[in-house]
Amino acid sequence: MLQAIVKELSLKRDEATTVKTIYFGGGTPSLFSVEQLHEIFEAIHRNFNVKEAAEITMETNPEDLSRSYLKGIKTLGVNRLSIGVQSFKNADLQLMHRKHNAQASITSVKTAQDTGFENISLDLIYALPEQNLRDWQANIDTFLSLKVPHLSAYALTVEPKTALQYFVESGKLNLPKDTAAEQHYTLLNSQLKEAGFEHYEISNFALENHISQHNSSYWKGENYIGIGPSAHSFDGKNRMWNIAHNTKYIKSLQKN
């Protein structure tokens, strides 16, 4: 996969384009070691003109953020983290089959801050099974206590052919009613507004100067280049996307 990504970067070489943002997402990019990420960064800089102050974001899970890993990716140029916390309640995390617990989430954020990462975003999910307004308020309170400048908050969606769909349809789990989800969203809006956050996109909230430059470029219709399985690209007129199947993606790049 690493070599396929490096190969695709060379095939899409465009030194005339100035890259203003780089976003490692779409799966769990923090599974890559610092050494592997170094190869990708070298390929990016070899094939594109990267702006000196480019926003470089990496999506991560709390359990991946050791102090040594954070120092390593910071040295590579990563200057923004998006951490998939999802909830600060252990029962919620167990329900979602997350590997980390609530304390690990808090520790990962504080370790990132201690390592020099100031531009951090957290993901939280609301309208979870059995989640009441008091639970959601506790999540918001914990988020605010961490002094993180960006939040992405999403209502839980039940995807087809998943274990969650089975549990909901079989009556083993009860999702909150739409009115309850609306209360969660309304509470979030009011609490974050009071704390000085701008609600700049339906699921995103930021303190001043901390709006995601990369994600905002999608809404502005700017060009972007997608690398990797399922990745989408936009050239200003047409949208293109890569094959989703990992093995087929790798084999197709081996054939140029």
Side-chain angles (χ1 to χ4, degrees), residues 15-149:
E15 291 178 308
T17 297
T18 299
V19 176
K20 296 184 292 183
T21 65
I22 301 170
Y23 196 102
F24 289 86
T28 311
S30 52
L31 287 173
F32 275 133
S33 68
V34 173
E35 292 72 25
Q36 289 169 324
L37 286 166
H38 178 69
E39 284 193 54
I40 295 174
F41 271 98
E42 280 195 326
I44 293 170
H45 286 281
R46 192 164 57 243
N47 293 293
F48 298 91
N49 175 29
V50 180
K51 186 179 176 182
E52 189 173 342
E55 176 193 85
I56 304 176
T57 304
M58 178 178 284
E59 288 187 358
T60 64
N61 287 330
E63 64 269 22
D64 296 331
L65 296 181
S66 67
R67 192 173 294 274
S68 60
Y69 191 81
L70 285 160
K71 286 181 178 178
I73 62 174
K74 189 171 175 56
T75 301
L76 293 176
V78 176
N79 52 31
R80 184 174 183 272
L81 297 176
S82 176
I83 307 176
V85 169
Q86 315 309 354
S87 175
F88 292 107
K89 185 178 178 183
N90 285 328
D92 293 341
L93 295 169
Q94 290 165 6
L95 175 71
M96 291 184 280
H97 299 288
R98 304 296 293 186
K99 291 181 181 178
H100 64 277
N101 58 31
Q103 186 54 52
S105 292
I106 294 168
T107 300
S108 71
V109 173
K110 291 183 176 178
T111 303
Q113 290 168 330
D114 290 345
T115 312
F117 284 95
E118 185 273 331
N119 200 357
I120 298 173
S121 177
L122 301 188
D123 284 0
L124 289 177
I125 298 178
Y126 60 92
L128 288 163
E130 320 301 338
Q131 187 183 51
N132 57 41
L133 206 58
R134 186 174 63 254
D135 293 333
W136 181 232
Q137 177 69 68
N139 270 333
I140 297 170
D141 289 344
T142 303
F143 166 77
L144 291 173
S145 73
L146 290 169
K147 306 298 182 185
V148 169

Side-chain angles (χ1 to χ4, degrees), residues 6 22 65-66 170 206-207 216:
V6 169
I22 301 170
L65 296 181
S66 67
S170 63
L207 291 177
S216 296

Side-chain angles (χ1 to χ4, degrees), residues 95 97 162-174:
L95 175 71
H97 299 288
T162 60
L164 181 60
Q165 182 190 44
Y166 166 76
F167 288 132
V168 170
E169 290 183 350
S170 63
K172 293 183 178 179
L173 283 177
N174 296 312

Side-chain angles (χ1 to χ4, degrees), residues 229-242:
S230 295
H232 284 232
S233 300
F234 181 58
D235 64 5
K237 293 182 179 179
N238 303 298
R239 296 188 186 278
M240 299 138 281
W241 50 92
N242 290 347

